[in-house]
Amino acid sequence: DCPLLTTAIFPICTSTSDSTFKNSTALTTVTLPLCADLGSTTGDDGVFFNISGNTITLTIAASRATCNGGNPDGDIVALAANNTATIIYV
């Protein structure tokens, strides 16, 4: 719930909770290179809830690319569906 947040860089964060960036409507850059758990499940846990229409870059651990039955984490799918998103898996 931080509508003015534009950049979130957490180089050593290994997990986020559900709704972490909820309503952060100005978000354009998220860097979580070590994040192995994006929300409590591999589905859509609302980590990026209500963020839409942005041009956004997400840098995240490569494990999130195929963690959901061979598909990306549901929160990444939701982010990409609602924004012009560049996803960088590291």
Side-chain angles (χ1 to χ4, degrees):
D1 286 320
C2 191
L4 299 179
L5 179 68
T6 60
T7 302
I9 300 173
F10 299 103
I12 61 172
C13 176
T14 58
S15 66
T16 67
S17 62
D18 296 352
S19 306
T20 299
F21 299 107
K22 175 186 81 167
N23 296 323
S24 297
T25 54
L27 201 59
T28 59
T29 304
V30 179
T31 304
L32 299 162
L34 301 180
C35 187
D37 293 306
L38 194 57
S40 61
T41 71
T42 58
D44 182 359
D45 300 305
V47 172
F48 302 106
F49 179 78
N50 200 33
I51 299 172
S52 64
N54 294 3
T55 298
I56 189 164
T57 300
L58 171 65
T59 302
I60 191 130
S63 64
R64 300 300 83 204
T66 57
C67 64
N68 192 7
N71 295 307
D73 185 288
D75 289 294
I76 296 171
V77 172
L79 181 71
N82 294 303
N83 298 275
T84 300
T86 300
I87 313 300
I88 301 168
Y89 294 103
V90 294

